[in-house]
Amino acid sequence: MARRNILFIMCDQLRFDYLGCTGHPTIKTPNIDALAARGVTFSNTYCQSPICGPSRMSFYTGRYVSSHGSASNFAPLRIGERNIGHHLNPLGMRTVLVGKTHMIADREGMKRLGVEADSAVGVHHAQAGFETYERDDGVHPDSMVRPDVVYNQYLRSKGYAEDDNPWHWVANAVQTDEGVRSGFFNDCVDLPARVTDEDSETPYMTRRAMEFLAEDDGEKPWLLHLSYIKPHWPYVAPAPYNDMYSAEDVVPAIRSEGELADTNPLMKLFMERVAGKTFGKDTARETVIPVYMGLISQIDDQLGILFEFMGKRGLLDDTMVVFTSDHGDYLGDHWMGDKDYFHNPSVRIPLIVADPSEAADTTRGTVDDSLVEAIDLLPTFIEHQGGEVARNILDGRSLMPRIRGEDIEWRSYSVSEYDYSCQVFRPETGRMPLDCRTYMVATERWKYVHAPGYPPVLFDLENDPDELVDLGLSAEHKGVRQMMADHLADWALRYRQRETWSEEHNVRMTGMEEQLGVLIGYWNEGDAKGKDPGILPKRRPVAGD
Amino acid sequence: MARRNILFIMCDQLRFDYLGCTGHPTIKTPNIDALAARGVTFSNTYCQSPICGPSRMSFYTGRYVSSHGSASNFAPLRIGERNIGHHLNPLGMRTVLVGKTHMIADREGMKRLGVEADSAVGVHHAQAGFETYERDDGVHPDSMVRPDVVYNQYLRSKGYAEDDNPWHWVANAVQTDEGVRSGFFNDCVDLPARVTDEDSETPYMTRRAMEFLAEDDGEKPWLLHLSYIKPHWPYVAPAPYNDMYSAEDVVPAIRSEGELADTNPLMKLFMERVAGKTFGKDTARETVIPVYMGLISQIDDQLGILFEFMGKRGLLDDTMVVFTSDHGDYLGDHWMGDKDYFHNPSVRIPLIVADPSEAADTTRGTVDDSLVEAIDLLPTFIEHQGGEVARNILDGRSLMPRIRGEDIEWRSYSVSEYDYSCQVFRPETGRMPLDCRTYMVATERWKYVHAPGYPPVLFDLENDPDELVDLGLSAEHKGVRQMMADHLADWALRYRQRETWSEEHNVRMTGMEEQLGVLIGYWNEGDAKGKDPGILPKRRPVAGD
């Protein structure tokens, strides 16, 4: 088989609908649009949790958050979980990282099992199975910036040396008349970053990807995870991207006054966060969204450069390109900012898969609106690489048949989860962390949110595609809510931890005890009628006979 | 603190109601009855799965079967799971095994994490965290008997040397006029075993426990898991236990003709197994049950010897004694044999906890009919040993407050699970292994069985304590079934894999990002009103100023 690579591009906090090809009226993303034209756009894709860490752990394990257990940012992924490397490396594929993973090692588990942090196994675990060509988790507040952030070293080498933490004070800060302001404040992010386009994060990381491609010896197929931090906050863009768009390019907020009345009490806590208050105001939207759009166009420009580089080297012919994001961004829709809750701006993600192989020709340029989930990517990669998708381990399903245009049975609902135990409002809820759980289950028609201790939320996606009317307490929708709750129960009851036996092995074990002579409840030999008599213990002569 | 030990006695396949103290009218178990008189009898205790391996993995991990993932006999317990040793050894307690565990190591997981089979970590995992003073999983059919079964070596050393596998052909076989017959055939198990009482399994294993106690240097408290294989089949007892009881001592079968009409189709498959057909006949019950009872009285006699031995050494004063079983045995009730389904004879287990400490004096000799589960024992041991019960890892709850007579809030339903993928009838169901799941949820009043693809089963434990009338399709019980299904859904949706953060740590992480300077959605400094101003990035002077 010809060498086949995978370029697995992930943005951070990129909404599904902020691309030209997914319908945004003013944004310019010609290179991503061209990618969509040569691949399949999965237009109804949900992330497994609308927050960075848990969502990524689902991408990297192919398992739901409840399955892998890393439900909060910075909660270590337990040592026993199989990661992307465990699945792909045995198929002969390198798994290489340039950018962010948010992976936190399970140091306690490593200690328990005697796995040394600097051993090959320890490093493999700590990096989610990636070779880290360059890792940068992207957000480095002054109090927790690590001395080994390569990008900071780079910035210093380029002369941005006056600050301790140039990621913050150069790449994510702006210069005002009154001094330098952190990009964590949104009031003046329309000003340009204190870094040039060339030295800003997205071009830097794109160059690192190209450096890997240039250095690669071509011996093994690779999966390159190019994982950008942008357009994640701090929403600071270098010139010219900071003023590529203006308030006129901003689409209206998806929100209604009705959402502020009789709001579901848990949803309300999300709305009342600082980000909700900020983005509830048009000033903030008109200041920040143009920059958010600029950061996306910057990514698009960089992808243009990357694709051209790859094309010149012939790499686009044997590389499947995947473009996605870990979650979205409310940007003021539904009176919220940031992400974390389950409206589409937060929980839906863009997903484009462009497979250059002939088998994918029939679907090129099409849109597939099936219910797709982030966990489907790892099985897709495994099948792409010729491996078997282990159903006892992987919760997701390979998209390869869809990409080949095959008519297959598909899931009828999708699930996403969110753990609000780390939210500043948790103490107000009176709930302890293990009870701070929320679940979204969505069919093509309905979206249902279950949170223990709170009333349910229900949206009719057909008649209310903007999710403005919560039917969670509507008497006439009781049956629909029960149907959705049943889906959720079915989902929750599925085996997700029965990992040590494959289905094939389990089939072989059916009836095996009897075949090995463990005869349960046999009265005598007559009970073996129709079975292999070899299973029967032989009547033995009396000793001494 | 004074040295405090735990003697954790487990029988295999012992029904909850085959003890004098739990109401059996003819069986003689004076030593176990005396234990009950000095402890608490938990009369409403369910095992987590009515089959050896999965049930035991729940005892040893403190987690539901769906949590630890070892759902079938011989399915390895995955490497990441914490076992009894992981919980108790750090508290300074030795965990020592004499007898059966049914633990199967996760060799593939060990390889993946570089854990050598003969390393301390590898052995600890493979033995479920026990030091194996002697391990014997109890059932050794000729085709799979291992050469290192110590009991077989013992039997050979005692002159039972004419057979390759004396466990089978001496201890679990009988001599008839026509030759030696395996105890896997029930037609002549009324005959005595070909081994003496002294050399049979239960006394042998009891002596091994006493040898451990005699050798123990007294330095560390211990948990000794004395884990008998009997009264598990082969139902073969040495003289005099084989004819200590007669057909007259056998209580009537709990079954009705009504159960054979319109039987739930999955329940029916369990009934139609060989064991169901055998024990459906009175001949079999009258032949086998007296021997089953004899095996129990033999255990009781041996426990009398053990307790006397311990008493003489002063060990009963600082040893909490726990007596239980991994699951029950239908013995013809409900037209079934063996176990695996969810009627009480199969899923309920005996549980007596006798804590010699003064704090337990108020409950001595009492019966507690709260909903208790097998997974409650490990948390009980942890609290007994002064440790903290980690709610993020352990699904069960400590019984210590109940033993101290404290009035605490308790669970309102219990859950047990069974995976029928290994049953010989699986191919008839047309289902693949991952879909061969059954769940029991029981309140004090109701028992509900859910199995995907099959109608539900419902018993009214108040009006039908013998579980003879299945209300699974009763129109008037629709609401009850929904309530029970809701319990099951709530149970299934609980976090069971979010293991890497304790609740305490998670509470500390609430709002932590903001405290570290990750300001989400702040318009400007004004948004920090009422908060520690230290979280704000300081406005910096312009470079060169």
Side-chain angles (χ1 to χ4, degrees):
Chain A
M1 194 177 76
R3 173 189 148 112
R4 302 183 70 198
N5 308 305
I6 298 171
L7 174 63
F8 174 24
I9 304 163
M10 187 177 284
C11 300
D12 198 311
Q13 197 133 338
L14 172 62
R15 282 174 62 135
F16 74 103
D17 55 356
Y18 269 59
L19 299 172
C21 56
T22 56
H24 197 285
T26 58
I27 204 165
K28 289 175 203 75
T29 53
N31 294 295
I32 298 168
D33 300 349
L35 183 72
R38 60 181 193 267
V40 180
T41 299
F42 292 97
S43 61
N44 201 3
T45 303
Y46 291 105
C47 65
Q48 254 48 65
S49 184
I51 185 172
C52 302
S55 171
R56 286 161 185 269
M57 294 311 111
S58 284
F59 273 107
Y60 305 148
T61 62
R63 287 157 59 79
Y64 288 108
V65 174
S66 286
S67 302
H68 62 63
S70 177
S72 299
N73 276 346
F74 309 111
L77 181 70
R78 62 176 168 187
I79 184 74
E81 287 290 312
R82 289 172 187 79
N83 58 37
I84 190 169
H86 289 123
H87 288 283
L88 295 179
N89 300 157
L91 301 174
M93 176 171 247
R94 293 176 66 188
T95 41
V96 180
L97 172 72
V98 172
K100 171 169 173 170
T101 62
H102 223 288
M103 168 74 197
I104 305 291
D106 176 9
R107 300 281 167 204
E108 197 274 329
M110 290 166 72
K111 198 173 159 194
R112 192 167 77 245
L113 295 174
V115 176
E116 299 288 343
D118 57 0
S119 68
V121 170
V123 171
H124 190 266
H125 165 68
Q127 301 303 339
F130 288 108
E131 298 171 48
T132 52
Y133 191 79
E134 177 156 343
R135 176 172 174 178
D136 187 336
D137 277 355
V139 176
H140 308 287
D142 300 341
S143 66
M144 52 192 286
V145 61
R146 292 164 52 144
D148 59 351
V149 175
V150 182
Y151 178 60
N152 265 344
Q153 292 167 8
Y154 167 81
L155 288 176
R156 280 189 208 103
S157 79
K158 294 283 286 190
Y160 302 100
E162 77 267 35
D163 293 300
D164 298 340
N165 182 9
W167 169 87
H168 189 184
W169 293 106
V170 176
N172 288 283
V174 298
Q175 195 147 330
T176 72
D177 293 343
E178 289 153 8
V180 175
R181 280 176 67 70
S182 162
F184 281 115
F185 297 122
N186 287 292
D187 60 352
C188 45
V189 293
D190 53 332
L191 293 171
R194 297 179 68 218
V195 75
T196 63
D197 171 31
E198 181 190 353
D199 292 333
S200 66
E201 292 158 281
T202 297
Y204 170 80
M205 219 46 91
T206 307
R207 285 196 302 278
R208 294 294 287 146
M210 291 188 287
E211 283 163 25
F212 163 74
L213 295 175
E215 285 173 22
D216 175 49
D217 60 12
E219 286 217 352
K220 280 184 164 186
W222 41 255
L223 175 143
L224 173 60
H225 185 34
L226 172 55
S227 186
Y228 293 117
I229 181 62
K230 293 301 184 195
H232 191 288
W233 42 253
Y235 305 103
V236 175
Y241 296 100
N242 69 303
D243 67 356
M244 177 175 277
Y245 300 98
S246 71
E248 283 167 28
D249 296 307
V250 175
V251 295
I254 302 169
R255 65 191 177 202
S256 73
E257 292 296 322
E259 289 181 290
L260 298 174
D262 302 324
T263 314
N264 176 286
L266 182 60
M267 196 194 295
K268 195 164 182 229
L269 290 171
F270 282 89
M271 284 182 180
E272 286 172 347
R273 300 181 301 174
V274 173
K277 288 181 182 163
T278 296
F279 284 90
K281 292 171 191 143
D282 287 339
T283 329
R285 296 187 78 250
E286 289 167 8
T287 304
V288 177
I289 293 178
V291 185
Y292 180 79
M293 292 168 66
L295 289 167
I296 296 165
S297 284
Q298 186 189 27
I299 289 171
D300 188 84
D301 284 344
Q302 289 298 313
L303 290 180
I305 292 167
L306 175 63
F307 294 155
E308 190 185 344
F309 176 89
M310 290 175 69
K312 279 185 185 155
R313 293 174 169 252
L315 285 170
L316 287 180
D317 300 332
D318 60 4
T319 301
M320 181 167 82
V321 180
V322 176
F323 177 86
T324 189
S325 178
D326 58 350
H327 54 75
D329 191 325
Y330 273 106
L331 296 174
D333 289 351
H334 309 290
W335 309 99
M336 293 198 211
D338 206 27
K339 57 264 183 180
D340 305 330
Y341 202 69
F342 296 116
H343 295 92
N344 279 341
S346 167
V347 73
R348 254 200 187 169
I349 51 174
L351 178 60
I352 299 166
V353 182
D355 178 358
S357 71
E358 210 178 293
D361 284 349
T362 53
T363 60
R364 228 167 278 295
T366 62
V367 175
D368 184 329
D369 65 358
S370 312
L371 290 160
V372 168
E373 305 186 15
I375 51 173
D376 295 336
L377 281 184
L378 183 48
T380 303
F381 300 160
I382 292 169
E383 184 180 343
H384 179 269
Q385 218 52 26
E388 289 287 324
V389 177
R391 287 192 55 224
N392 56 316
I393 301 165
L394 292 153
D395 291 332
R397 294 185 58 181
S398 169
L399 297 171
M400 293 309 297
R402 306 205 71 86
I403 291 163
R404 291 190 298 262
E406 294 167 17
D407 185 24
I408 55 165
E409 212 191 319
W410 199 245
R411 66 169 64 87
S412 55
Y413 58 86
S414 291
V415 174
S416 189
E417 305 172 71
Y418 182 74
D419 178 321
Y420 59 89
S421 61
C422 291
Q423 288 285 347
V424 287
F425 62 67
R426 186 192 58 75
E428 288 177 58
T429 68
R431 301 178 75 83
M432 285 292 284
L434 281 166
D435 293 321
C436 294
R437 298 170 281 122
T438 54
Y439 306 90
M440 176 210 82
V441 52
T443 61
E444 288 182 8
R445 171 75 191 272
W446 304 98
K447 182 185 283 187
Y448 177 76
V449 177
H450 169 67
Y454 291 96
V457 169
L458 180 71
F459 295 119
D460 179 343
L461 303 177
E462 191 173 297
N463 294 308
D464 175 29
D466 284 339
E467 309 176 303
L468 295 170
V469 183
D470 174 15
L471 303 170
L473 299 175
S474 152
E476 68 178 289
H477 292 88
K478 196 180 165 194
V480 174
R481 288 194 300 270
Q482 186 62 57
M483 175 188 75
M484 300 303 279
D486 289 348
H487 286 325
L488 191 61
D490 286 347
W491 171 82
L493 284 168
R494 282 194 289 168
Y495 279 137
R496 321 259 204 80
Q497 310 302 333
R498 216 191 56 163
E499 300 166 18
T500 55
W501 272 3
S502 69
E503 283 290 88
E504 295 68 29
H505 182 74
N506 205 153
V507 165
R508 284 193 297 273
M509 293 301 287
T510 297
M512 180 60 82
E513 281 197 318
E514 196 175 70
Q515 291 167 49
L516 291 171
V518 180
L519 305 182
I520 303 177
Y522 274 54
W523 183 245
N524 59 27
E525 289 82 348
D527 283 331
K529 258 179 211 153
K531 294 181 178 169
D532 177 0
I535 65 173
L536 296 175
K538 295 273 178 308
R539 195 179 293 219
R540 297 203 165 191
V542 181
D545 270 13
Chain B
M1 193 178 74
R3 172 191 149 108
R4 301 183 73 198
N5 308 305
I6 298 170
L7 175 61
F8 175 24
I9 305 162
M10 187 176 287
C11 300
D12 197 309
Q13 196 133 336
L14 171 62
R15 280 173 65 133
F16 75 104
D17 55 356
Y18 268 59
L19 299 171
C21 57
T22 56
H24 197 283
T26 58
I27 204 165
K28 290 174 201 75
T29 53
N31 294 296
I32 297 168
D33 300 350
L35 183 73
R38 59 179 194 269
V40 181
T41 299
F42 292 98
S43 62
N44 202 2
T45 304
Y46 291 105
C47 64
Q48 254 48 64
S49 184
I51 185 171
C52 301
S55 171
R56 287 162 185 269
M57 295 311 110
S58 284
F59 274 107
Y60 305 148
T61 62
R63 287 157 58 79
Y64 288 107
V65 175
S66 287
S67 302
H68 62 63
S70 176
S72 298
N73 275 346
F74 309 112
L77 181 70
R78 62 176 168 188
I79 184 73
E81 287 290 312
R82 288 171 186 80
N83 58 38
I84 190 168
H86 289 124
H87 288 283
L88 295 178
N89 300 157
L91 301 173
M93 176 171 247
R94 293 177 64 189
T95 40
V96 180
L97 172 72
V98 172
K100 170 170 173 170
T101 62
H102 223 290
M103 169 75 196
I104 305 290
D106 176 9
R107 301 281 167 204
E108 197 272 330
M110 291 166 73
K111 197 173 158 196
R112 191 168 76 243
L113 294 174
V115 175
E116 298 288 340
D118 58 359
S119 68
V121 170
V123 172
H124 190 267
H125 164 70
Q127 301 303 339
F130 289 109
E131 299 172 47
T132 52
Y133 190 78
E134 178 157 343
R135 175 172 175 180
D136 186 336
D137 276 356
V139 176
H140 308 288
D142 301 341
S143 66
M144 51 191 288
V145 62
R146 292 164 52 143
D148 59 351
V149 175
V150 181
Y151 178 60
N152 264 345
Q153 292 167 7
Y154 167 81
L155 288 176
R156 281 190 208 102
S157 78
K158 294 283 285 188
Y160 302 101
E162 76 268 35
D163 293 301
D164 298 339
N165 181 9
W167 169 85
H168 188 183
W169 293 105
V170 175
N172 286 284
V174 298
Q175 194 147 332
T176 72
D177 294 343
E178 291 155 6
V180 176
R181 277 176 71 68
S182 162
F184 280 116
F185 297 120
N186 287 292
D187 59 353
C188 46
V189 293
D190 53 333
L191 293 171
R194 298 179 68 217
V195 76
T196 63
D197 172 31
E198 181 190 351
D199 292 333
S200 66
E201 292 159 281
T202 298
Y204 169 81
M205 219 48 90
T206 308
R207 285 196 303 278
R208 295 292 289 147
M210 292 189 288
E211 285 163 22
F212 163 73
L213 295 175
E215 284 173 22
D216 175 48
D217 61 12
E219 286 215 354
K220 278 185 165 186
W222 43 256
L223 174 142
L224 173 60
H225 185 36
L226 172 55
S227 187
Y228 294 118
I229 181 62
K230 293 303 184 190
H232 192 287
W233 41 254
Y235 305 104
V236 175
Y241 297 100
N242 68 304
D243 68 355
M244 178 176 276
Y245 300 98
S246 71
E248 283 167 27
D249 297 308
V250 175
V251 296
I254 302 169
R255 64 191 179 202
S256 73
E257 292 296 322
E259 289 180 289
L260 299 175
D262 302 324
T263 314
N264 176 286
L266 182 60
M267 195 193 297
K268 196 163 180 228
L269 291 171
F270 283 87
M271 284 182 179
E272 286 172 347
R273 299 181 302 173
V274 174
K277 289 181 182 163
T278 295
F279 285 90
K281 294 173 188 141
D282 286 341
T283 328
R285 295 187 78 248
E286 289 166 9
T287 303
V288 177
I289 294 179
V291 186
Y292 180 78
M293 292 168 66
L295 289 166
I296 296 165
S297 284
Q298 186 188 27
I299 288 172
D300 187 83
D301 285 345
Q302 289 298 312
L303 290 181
I305 293 167
L306 175 63
F307 294 156
E308 191 185 343
F309 175 90
M310 291 175 69
K312 279 185 184 154
R313 296 176 167 250
L315 285 170
L316 287 181
D317 300 333
D318 60 4
T319 300
M320 182 166 82
V321 179
V322 176
F323 177 85
T324 191
S325 179
D326 57 349
H327 54 75
D329 190 325
Y330 272 105
L331 296 175
D333 289 352
H334 309 290
W335 310 99
M336 293 196 209
D338 205 30
K339 57 263 182 182
D340 305 330
Y341 201 70
F342 296 115
H343 295 92
N344 278 340
S346 167
V347 73
R348 254 198 187 171
I349 51 174
L351 178 60
I352 299 165
V353 182
D355 177 358
S357 72
E358 211 179 289
D361 284 350
T362 53
T363 61
R364 229 167 276 295
T366 62
V367 174
D368 185 329
D369 64 358
S370 311
L371 290 160
V372 168
E373 304 185 16
I375 51 173
D376 295 337
L377 281 183
L378 184 48
T380 303
F381 301 158
I382 293 168
E383 184 180 344
H384 179 268
Q385 219 50 30
E388 291 286 326
V389 177
R391 286 190 57 222
N392 55 317
I393 301 165
L394 292 153
D395 290 332
R397 294 186 55 183
S398 170
L399 298 170
M400 293 309 296
R402 308 205 69 86
I403 291 163
R404 293 190 298 262
E406 293 168 16
D407 185 26
I408 54 164
E409 212 192 318
W410 199 248
R411 66 168 65 87
S412 56
Y413 59 85
S414 291
V415 174
S416 189
E417 305 172 70
Y418 183 74
D419 178 320
Y420 59 90
S421 61
C422 291
Q423 288 285 347
V424 286
F425 62 68
R426 186 193 55 76
E428 288 176 58
T429 67
R431 299 177 76 83
M432 285 294 283
L434 280 166
D435 292 322
C436 294
R437 298 170 283 121
T438 55
Y439 306 88
M440 177 209 81
V441 54
T443 62
E444 290 182 5
R445 172 76 190 271
W446 305 98
K447 182 185 282 184
Y448 176 77
V449 177
H450 169 67
Y454 291 96
V457 169
L458 179 72
F459 296 119
D460 179 343
L461 302 176
E462 192 173 296
N463 294 307
D464 175 30
D466 284 339
E467 308 175 305
L468 295 171
V469 183
D470 173 15
L471 303 169
L473 299 175
S474 151
E476 68 178 290
H477 292 88
K478 195 179 167 195
V480 175
R481 288 194 300 271
Q482 185 63 57
M483 175 189 75
M484 300 303 278
D486 289 348
H487 286 327
L488 191 60
D490 287 347
W491 170 82
L493 283 168
R494 282 194 289 168
Y495 278 136
R496 321 263 202 75
Q497 310 302 333
R498 217 193 52 164
E499 299 166 20
T500 55
W501 273 2
S502 69
E503 282 290 87
E504 296 68 28
H505 182 74
N506 205 155
V507 165
R508 284 193 296 276
M509 292 302 286
T510 297
M512 180 59 83
E513 281 197 320
E514 195 174 71
Q515 290 166 52
L516 292 171
V518 179
L519 305 182
I520 303 176
Y522 275 54
W523 182 244
N524 58 28
E525 289 83 348
D527 284 330
K529 256 179 214 154
K531 295 181 178 169
D532 176 1
I535 65 174
L536 297 175
K538 296 272 179 309
R539 195 178 293 220
R540 297 201 166 193
V542 180
D545 270 13

